[in-house]
């Protein structure tokens, strides 16, 4: 201890104090002495204080609540001494000092408690001995506690503060012996941030005192606020100590100009009084104040002058507790009771003089002459109005009460140690006579008890208790009265963590709307937008930027917009991903309906034409037009019309595979029939020339069918190879439109598709060339011109199809292909079968043997030669072959009209 400290310096056989401080105090003897440091005066006047010279210290401005704090410790010790189960046979004493709200005095008082006030004493061996006090309750100020703990912590003297909240004091390496029964500022800061979040106050100002308490809070608050994302500070100012009106004017101007309507203040009473005087002077209204525990319950601010501005303040307050018997103890205090042989209890005298406005003899000069009253010590406290006896809000007193009991329980656990089972070396136990502070600290760390109010008291690894705060609200009553109402609490539990409970219906709001104010830098960004920080300003100041297409934000104040899944797109409000619109050539849209109707119409016409031909199959017109190929051609055209339906509707795997195969095979079948018909026409007319008759044997009915089958089989083989190697599959295309899914069939193999179309084009081109060569042949029922015209339409359509198909997106590519199929099919149908149906239906008189004979015999006949015993006549409009055949009963004459590709009719018995 300090006794050994001084011995080691001076190497003398005795320990001697370097100087003795003149301090206000109150004392009581006992087996174990506990020290206390309290703010009984909140100001002092003294010359420069040194450790080497005497200094007279004058404490001024007596503070009755501060004296009540000191007496609460005295009461707790008195209660413990009367308790037969707690510390039996041990009497606790105390030495309580006034720090006068001055660092030098508080530090001197702490040294006096640690070193004692005896000028000299003989130490035991190694300069060891029981120190003057085993533990200290106090100091209430963080700065004072830091200074005291820095020194006394070296000697492991337990210090339990009831009001020092600086979170820096939780540093166990620097302050190993510091404990406290008040939550630290880190918890208070988080509690305030929870209040800000509760009312969506994201834009606030921060004012702190210019000391360790305020500066540590400032750093902690900004760090925690940023970490929690609860808001930003519009400004952060430091309130100076002393009288500095210019600085207070500047700070109030900052508050007035700011758009923040919430002001958080971590400061002391003296700072708040000076600040509020300037606020009143400049009439700064419309602010919501949030008070730290240092000034939430300060009566000096509950004045009619300040309440128009401070009304509605929300403050953090130390937990209120219940201390039975305290008021009775306080009411019995008098100077005679606390007078001892060893000490003059100056604090009691000062309290008495302050309360009864008297002076103890001998008074100062001129006191009696000026009408002053002498104190007798018999005055009755119950007959005077004093806040000293107000025990309705026991908050710091409750923490003092817990601190004293923590030390008592630690001592009690120590004296109950069983010899040989102790926690120290060789399983030793500590004793009252040989007790050292570090041994008491061991037991203090393991304290665990419950107060009469039901609060559990224990210390964590940093010396902090389980934190709990009350939330207070300053209410200005209609009758002009002022009430500080409890409206909630914030606490930390092992199970639920930090928890805020707030009764908003009990809160008084000092605004015309009687509602919580808004304090934001920028309005919240609604869903569908994102926040874009304004350059050079805090993160709470931002612009709201709408999400781009395909992105959404579902929450308010989203930092980023999220992209929708592949098959979804943003809604118009950009707050929801909705399924993308699907696009394909549908049966339900006008274009799909028109193409479907056209396809069915073409199929129906083909069926009608086929029915007409079947019905008139025995007529010369049908027989003269190679009826078998005509029927096959009509069936293929019908398939061409029907295959276009596979291009309409949502693409599926089977439709994608079937549509091009059906289209390719149907058209090859159709063009093959036309090609064979054209080749037969040319062959017959070639046979009409000298020496050309031998070519007809290659174009019989079997050969015609075989040619069509072979040509069609080639296309079938192409389709099979394509489907096996790279089959067309359905595909969801999102490249055409971001907000649409275009369902289409990808061809799989472009080469396969090109070969399929190329093969159709080759046959069509060949048919066109052959028909073109036969265009000048005799034209009576000569189909060469009709085939030429139909192939010209067919080729024109498909040549135009290629660029149109390549440049058409999505469903329009299918529509182009369907249109090409229908246009070419209608071209073939009309060109090849229109004139024939016209004759069959509208000019039946021309569909007779006689009509055909008459039309042919009217022309000039140029007989060319006899072929195979058949006389062939070449007429102007056709070629007739007269075959003279001997028969048993008649001469059979066969007239063959070569305007079609096979013998069409026979006229017998001419």
């Amino acid at each position: 201890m300090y006794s050994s400290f001084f011995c080691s310096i001076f190497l003398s056989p005795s320990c001697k104090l370097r100087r003795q401080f003149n301090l206000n105090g109150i004392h009581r003897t006992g087996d174990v002495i506990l020290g206390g440091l309290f703010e009984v005066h909140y100001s002092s006047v003294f010359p420069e204080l040194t450790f080497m010279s005497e200094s007279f210290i004058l404490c001024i401005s007596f503070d009755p609540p501060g004296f009540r704090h000191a007496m609460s410790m005295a009461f707790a010790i008195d209660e413990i001494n009367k308790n037969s189960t707690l510390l039996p046979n041990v009497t606790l004493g105390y030495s309580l000092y006034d720090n006068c709200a001055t660092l030098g005095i508080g530090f001197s008082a702490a040294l006096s408690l640690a070193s004692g006030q005896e000028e000299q004493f003989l130490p035991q061996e190694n300069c060891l001995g029981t120190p003057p006090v085993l533990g200290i309750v106090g100091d209430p100020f963080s700065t004072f506690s830091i200074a005291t703990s820095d020194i006394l912590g070296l000697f492991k003297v337990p210090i339990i503060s009831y009001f020092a909240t600086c979170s820096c004091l939780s540093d166990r390496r620097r302050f190993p012996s510091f404990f406290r029964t008040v939550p630290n500022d880190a918890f208070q800061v988080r509690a305030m941030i929870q209040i800000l979040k509760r009312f969506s106050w994201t834009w606030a100002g921060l004012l702190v005192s210019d000391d360790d308490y305020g500066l540590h809070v400032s750093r902690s608050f900004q760090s925690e606020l940023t970490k929690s994302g609860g808001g930003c500070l519009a400004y952060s100012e430091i309130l100076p100590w002393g009288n500095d009106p210019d600085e207070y004017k500047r700070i109030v101007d900052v508050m007035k100009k700011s758009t923040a309507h919430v002001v958080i203040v971590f400061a002391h009473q003296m700072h708040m009084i000076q600040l509020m005087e300037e606020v009143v002077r400049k009439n700064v209204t419309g602010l919501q104040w949030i008070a730290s525990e240092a000034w939430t319950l300060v009566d000096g601010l509950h004045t009619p002058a300040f309440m128009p501005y401070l009304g509605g303040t929300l403050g953090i307050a130390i937990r209120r507790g219940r201390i039975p018997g305290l008021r009775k103890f306080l009411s019995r205090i008098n100077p005679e009771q606390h007078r001892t042989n060893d000490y003059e209890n100056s604090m009691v005298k000062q309290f008495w003089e302050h309360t009864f406005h008297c002076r103890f003899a001998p008074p100062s000069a001129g006191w009696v002459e000026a009408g002053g009253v002498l104190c007798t010590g018999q005055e009755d406290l119950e007959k005077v109005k004093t806040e000293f006896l107000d025990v309705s809000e026991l908050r710091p007193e409750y923490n003092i009460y817990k601190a004293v009991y923590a030390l008592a329980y630690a001592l009690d656990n120590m004296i109950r140690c069983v010899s040989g089972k102790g926690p120290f070396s060789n399983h030793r136990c500590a004793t009252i006579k040989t007790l050292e502070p570090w041994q008491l600290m061991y037991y203090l760390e393991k304290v665990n008890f419950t107060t009469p109010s039901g609060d559990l008291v224990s210390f964590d690894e940093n010396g902090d208790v389980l934190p709990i705060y009350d939330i207070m609200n300053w209410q200005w009553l209609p009758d002009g009265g002022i009430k500080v109402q409890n409206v909630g609490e914030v606490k930390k539990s092992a199970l639920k963590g930090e928890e805020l409970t707030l009764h908003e219906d009990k809160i008084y709001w000092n605004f015309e709307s009687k509602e919580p104010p808004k304090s934001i830098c920028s309005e919240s960004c609604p869903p569908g937008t994102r926040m874009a920080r304004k350059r050079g300003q805090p993160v709470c100041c931002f612009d709201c930027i709408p999400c781009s297409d395909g992105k959404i934000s579902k929450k308010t104040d989203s930092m980023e917009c999220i992209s929708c899944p592949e098959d979804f797109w943003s809604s118009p409000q950009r707050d929801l991903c909705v399924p993308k619109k699907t696009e394909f050539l549908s049966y339900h849209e006008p274009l799909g309906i028109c193409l479907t109707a056209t396809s069915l119409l073409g199929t129906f016409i083909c069926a009608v034409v086929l029915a007409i031909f079947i019905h008139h199959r025995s007529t010369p017109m049908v027989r003269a037009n190679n009826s078998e190929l005509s029927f096959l051609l009509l069936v293929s055209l019908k398939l061409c019309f029907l295959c276009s339906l596979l291009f309409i509707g949502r693409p599926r795997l089977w439709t994608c595979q079937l549509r091009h195969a059906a289209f390719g095979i149907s058209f090859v079948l159709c063009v093959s029939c036309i090609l064979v018909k054209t080749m037969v026409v040319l062959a017959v007319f070639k046979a009409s020339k000298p020496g050309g008759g031998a070519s007809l044997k290659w174009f019989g009915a079997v050969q015609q069918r075989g040619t069509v089958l072979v040509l069609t089989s080639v296309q079938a083989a192409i389709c099979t190879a394509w489907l096996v190697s790279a089959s067309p599959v359905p595909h969801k295309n999102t490249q055409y439109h971001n907000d649409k899914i275009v369902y289409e069939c990808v061809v799989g193999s472009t080469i396969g598709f090109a070969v399929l179309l190329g093969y159709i084009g080759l046959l069509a081109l060949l048919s066109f060339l052959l028909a073109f060569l036969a265009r000048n042949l005799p034209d009576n029922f000569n189909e060469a011109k009709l085939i030429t015209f139909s192939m010209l339409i067919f080729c024109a359509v498909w040549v135009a199809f290629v660029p149109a198909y390549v440049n058409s997106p999505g469903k329009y590519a299918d529509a182009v292909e369907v249109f090409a199929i229908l246009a070419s099919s209608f071209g073939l149908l009309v060109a090849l079968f229109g004139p024939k149906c016209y004759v069959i239906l509208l000019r039946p008189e021309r569909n007779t043997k006689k009509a055909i004979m008459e039309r042919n015999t009217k022309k000039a006949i140029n007989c060319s030669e006899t072929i195979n015993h058949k006389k062939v006549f070449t007429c102007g409009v056709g070629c007739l072959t007269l075959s003279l055949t001997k028969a048993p009963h008649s001469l059979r004459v066969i007239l063959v009209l070569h305007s079609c590709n096979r013998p069409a009719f026979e006229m017998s018995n001419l």
Side-chain angles (χ1 to χ4, degrees):
M1 285 306 303
Y2 275 88
S3 56
S4 61
F5 171 71
F6 292 127
C7 288
S8 65
I9 291 179
F10 297 106
L11 301 176
S12 61
S14 64
C15 291
K16 183 178 181 180
L17 288 175
R18 297 304 306 271
R19 74 177 295 258
Q20 192 172 31
F21 300 108
N22 182 19
L23 301 168
N24 288 322
I26 181 171
H27 310 273
R28 177 176 176 173
T29 59
D31 300 326
V32 176
I33 305 298
L34 301 181
L37 297 172
F38 303 93
E39 182 196 7
V40 180
H41 293 80
Y42 53 84
S43 187
S44 62
V45 177
F46 58 96
E48 183 181 357
L49 180 64
T50 68
F51 291 102
M52 303 302 296
S53 62
E54 289 290 336
S55 296
F56 178 75
I57 304 171
L58 177 62
C59 295
I60 60 175
S61 304
F62 189 85
D63 185 23
F67 183 62
R68 185 175 65 229
H69 297 165
M71 289 300 96
S72 296
M73 180 171 177
F75 166 77
I77 290 176
D78 184 67
E79 188 178 65
I80 292 169
N81 287 335
K82 294 177 181 179
N83 190 333
S84 59
T85 60
L86 183 61
L87 289 176
N89 304 319
V90 176
T91 301
L92 295 180
Y94 55 78
S95 289
L96 313 180
Y97 285 120
D98 177 13
N99 65 19
C100 298
T102 304
L103 176 59
I105 298 175
F107 188 67
S108 300
L111 293 181
S112 295
L113 289 172
S115 300
Q117 291 286 64
E118 296 180 9
E119 293 187 5
Q120 184 173 350
F121 65 91
L122 294 175
Q124 300 177 7
E125 184 181 357
N126 298 326
C127 200
L128 296 176
T130 302
V133 295
L134 286 174
I136 299 174
V137 176
D139 191 294
F141 294 103
S142 294
T143 299
F144 298 5
S145 294
I146 291 171
T148 302
S149 299
D150 269 335
I151 301 301
L152 301 190
L154 299 174
F155 305 97
K156 304 295 176 62
V157 177
I159 300 175
I160 306 180
S161 177
Y162 60 92
F163 212 71
T165 59
C166 181
S167 55
C168 59
L169 287 164
S170 296
D171 184 354
R172 219 58 184 152
R173 296 180 62 185
R174 182 178 175 187
F175 309 108
S177 63
F178 181 82
F179 299 82
R180 53 182 155 196
T181 53
V182 62
N184 63 36
D185 284 334
F187 179 73
Q188 184 176 193
V189 164
R190 292 194 296 271
M192 286 192 175
I193 291 175
Q194 286 193 61
I195 294 175
L196 294 179
K197 286 185 173 181
R198 180 66 171 266
F199 297 106
S200 300
W201 293 331
T202 59
W203 191 234
L206 177 65
L207 304 178
V208 299
S209 57
D210 189 11
D211 55 11
D212 290 298
Y213 168 69
L215 298 179
H216 277 88
V217 162
S218 178
R219 289 192 292 269
S220 176
F221 197 96
Q222 296 189 54
S223 174
E224 289 290 337
L225 192 63
T226 301
K227 188 186 302 181
S228 68
C232 307
L233 292 179
Y235 54 86
S236 180
E237 298 291 341
I238 299 175
L239 301 176
W241 284 90
N243 187 20
D244 191 351
D246 292 337
E247 182 64 10
Y248 277 99
K249 287 180 181 178
R250 186 193 67 80
I251 292 173
V252 173
D253 284 338
V254 170
M255 296 167 57
K256 190 173 184 178
K257 294 177 182 177
S258 175
T259 57
H261 299 299
V262 174
V263 182
I264 303 164
V265 185
F266 285 85
H268 307 285
Q269 177 179 352
M270 60 195 77
H271 297 103
M272 285 304 302
I273 291 175
Q274 294 183 70
L275 177 68
M276 291 312 301
E277 287 174 350
E278 188 63 29
V279 168
V280 172
R281 190 176 297 113
K282 293 197 173 183
N283 193 29
V284 182
T285 59
L287 296 179
Q288 174 64 47
W289 298 81
I290 300 181
S292 69
E293 94 296 338
W295 63 279
T296 293
L297 300 175
V298 172
D299 292 334
L301 295 171
H302 302 164
T303 65
F306 292 160
M307 281 305 290
Y309 305 90
L310 290 176
T313 295
L314 289 173
I316 303 291
I318 296 170
R319 177 74 164 180
R320 186 179 70 171
R322 181 174 56 88
I323 307 177
L326 177 61
R327 190 186 187 284
K328 184 177 181 181
F329 175 84
L330 296 178
S331 65
R332 291 179 178 178
I333 290 176
N334 62 71
E336 294 300 323
Q337 177 188 1
H338 289 274
R339 183 187 297 274
T340 67
N341 295 329
D342 300 320
Y343 300 103
E344 183 70 24
N345 292 314
S346 57
M347 274 197 294
V348 179
K349 282 188 175 182
Q350 292 164 359
F351 161 68
W352 211 259
E353 290 177 347
H354 173 80
T355 303
F356 295 102
H357 306 287
C358 62
R359 292 290 184 271
F360 283 97
S364 59
W367 172 261
V368 177
E369 291 80 358
V373 179
L374 290 176
C375 299
T376 65
Q378 301 301 317
E379 290 85 357
D380 188 357
L381 280 175
E382 295 289 357
K383 294 181 179 180
V384 67
K385 185 177 181 181
T386 173
E387 58 183 321
F388 174 73
L389 296 178
D390 183 9
V391 294
S392 60
E393 294 288 335
L394 297 178
R395 297 178 187 276
E397 296 86 353
Y398 187 48
N399 284 344
I400 294 167
Y401 185 79
K402 291 189 290 185
V404 174
Y405 265 87
L407 288 168
Y409 274 102
L411 285 168
D412 187 67
N413 292 335
M414 183 200 70
I415 65 176
R416 295 180 188 277
C417 176
V418 178
S419 180
K421 296 182 179 180
F424 307 115
S425 61
N426 299 322
H427 302 289
R428 291 185 298 108
C429 293
T431 64
I432 293 294
K433 293 182 179 181
T434 62
L435 178 63
E436 296 184 40
W438 66 268
Q439 294 173 320
L440 178 62
M441 196 178 78
Y442 169 83
Y443 286 100
L444 191 60
E445 290 173 342
K446 301 183 181 306
V447 158
N448 193 322
F449 66 95
T450 303
T451 67
S453 297
D455 293 326
L456 179 67
V457 178
S458 63
F459 299 103
D460 63 14
E461 64 276 7
N462 297 320
D464 294 319
V465 293
L466 203 62
I468 183 170
Y469 276 122
D470 288 336
I471 310 296
M472 311 303 292
N473 179 231
W474 292 18
Q475 301 184 354
W476 201 5
L477 304 178
D479 60 359
I482 299 170
K483 179 182 179 182
V484 180
Q485 174 71 40
N486 186 325
V487 294
E489 67 177 15
V490 57
K491 63 182 179 180
K492 183 178 181 180
S493 62
L495 296 177
K496 297 183 179 179
E498 295 179 6
E499 187 177 13
L500 172 67
T501 303
L502 207 56
H503 307 292
E504 296 186 33
D505 56 322
K506 295 182 180 180
I507 299 177
Y508 166 77
W509 301 106
N510 193 27
F511 302 94
E512 291 184 5
S513 64
K514 302 303 178 185
E515 295 288 337
K518 290 182 67 175
S519 187
I520 55 176
C521 181
S522 300
E523 290 289 343
S524 294
C525 290
T529 62
R530 64 176 178 86
M531 296 190 298
R533 182 177 174 181
K534 293 181 179 178
R535 181 172 297 180
Q537 298 191 34
V539 294
C540 295
C541 301
F542 49 82
D543 294 318
C544 297
I545 307 299
C547 293
S548 56
D549 291 341
K551 294 186 176 183
I552 65 163
S553 61
K554 296 182 179 180
K555 299 179 181 178
T556 302
D557 292 335
S558 294
M559 296 297 298
E560 295 292 339
C561 297
I562 59 175
S563 298
C564 289
E566 182 181 2
D567 292 346
F568 290 81
W569 193 248
S570 54
S571 63
Q573 293 76 25
R574 304 290 194 274
D575 60 349
L576 188 66
C577 285
V578 296
K580 286 183 178 180
K581 295 179 181 178
T582 57
E583 182 179 279
F584 54 88
L585 190 57
S586 171
Y587 289 106
H588 304 292
E589 61 178 304
L591 180 59
I593 293 172
C594 291
L595 294 176
T596 301
T598 306
S599 175
L600 295 177
L601 177 62
T603 304
F604 176 74
I605 294 175
C606 285
V608 171
V609 172
L610 182 60
I612 292 173
F613 269 55
I614 292 175
H615 184 265
H616 297 86
R617 62 185 178 277
S618 59
T619 61
M621 182 61 67
V622 175
R623 297 181 66 189
N625 282 277
N626 201 338
S627 59
E628 183 176 333
L629 282 181
S630 296
F631 292 157
L632 187 58
L633 180 58
L634 285 170
V635 171
S636 64
L637 283 174
K638 191 174 182 180
L639 292 176
C640 290
F641 281 114
L642 289 175
C643 77
S644 64
L645 297 178
L646 295 173
F647 292 83
I648 305 174
R650 182 167 178 167
R652 305 190 184 279
L653 180 61
W654 69 272
T655 59
C656 289
Q657 293 176 335
L658 189 58
R659 60 168 58 172
H660 289 106
F663 152 71
I665 294 173
S666 299
F667 266 87
V668 165
L669 178 61
C670 177
V671 175
S672 297
C673 292
I674 296 173
L675 177 61
V676 170
K677 288 168 71 74
T678 308
M679 293 171 64
V680 169
V681 169
L682 287 175
V684 170
F685 278 99
K686 184 178 180 181
S688 66
K689 296 180 181 180
S695 61
L696 286 177
K697 65 180 179 178
W698 299 106
F699 290 95
V702 176
Q703 289 81 358
Q704 294 175 28
R705 298 189 196 102
T707 302
V708 171
L709 179 61
V710 169
L711 295 176
T712 305
S713 298
V714 172
Q715 183 71 309
I718 293 173
C719 292
T720 302
W722 179 20
L723 294 179
V724 171
S725 62
S727 173
V729 292
H731 173 64
K732 294 187 292 186
N733 194 323
T734 57
Q735 296 180 356
Y736 298 133
H737 306 284
N738 290 329
D739 59 340
K740 291 181 181 180
I741 298 176
V742 177
Y743 285 95
E744 59 184 10
C745 289
V746 291
V747 295
S749 171
T750 305
I751 296 176
F753 186 51
V755 171
L756 180 143
L757 291 178
Y759 184 66
I760 297 175
L762 177 64
L763 295 181
L765 182 62
L766 186 59
S767 298
F768 172 74
L769 292 176
L770 293 177
F772 182 78
L773 293 176
R775 70 188 186 283
N776 292 322
L777 293 176
D779 60 355
N780 191 36
F781 295 103
N782 179 14
E783 286 186 298
K785 289 185 178 181
L786 299 180
I787 293 174
T788 303
F789 182 67
S790 65
M791 285 296 101
L792 185 62
I793 296 174
F794 185 89
C795 292
V797 168
W798 287 102
V799 168
F801 159 77
V802 174
Y805 180 83
V806 171
N807 292 287
S808 298
K811 67 178 182 180
Y812 298 103
D814 291 335
V816 167
E817 191 164 358
V818 172
F819 179 81
I821 292 172
L822 296 178
S824 56
S825 299
F826 271 110
L828 295 176
L829 180 63
V830 173
L832 293 176
F833 294 97
K836 299 167 186 175
C837 290
Y838 171 77
V839 172
I840 294 172
L841 297 177
L842 301 180
R843 301 296 296 273
E845 69 278 4
R846 293 175 55 183
N847 189 17
T848 62
K849 299 175 184 179
K850 182 179 179 181
I852 294 175
M853 289 295 294
E854 289 178 353
R855 285 179 59 83
N856 287 289
T857 55
K858 289 179 180 178
K859 303 294 182 179
I861 299 178
N862 297 314
C863 298
S864 57
E865 62 177 327
T866 301
I867 303 174
N868 296 330
H869 306 287
K870 299 177 182 179
K871 197 65 176 180
V872 178
F873 299 93
T874 302
C875 309
V877 296
C879 183
L880 299 177
T881 300
L882 298 180
S883 178
L884 303 178
T885 306
K886 292 182 178 180
H889 304 289
S890 63
L891 177 64
R892 181 177 177 86
V893 180
I894 301 176
L895 175 64
V896 181
L897 179 65
H898 288 289
S899 60
C900 60
N901 299 327
R902 55 170 290 182
F905 60 87
E906 299 175 353
M907 294 184 292
S908 303
N909 301 321
L910 293 178

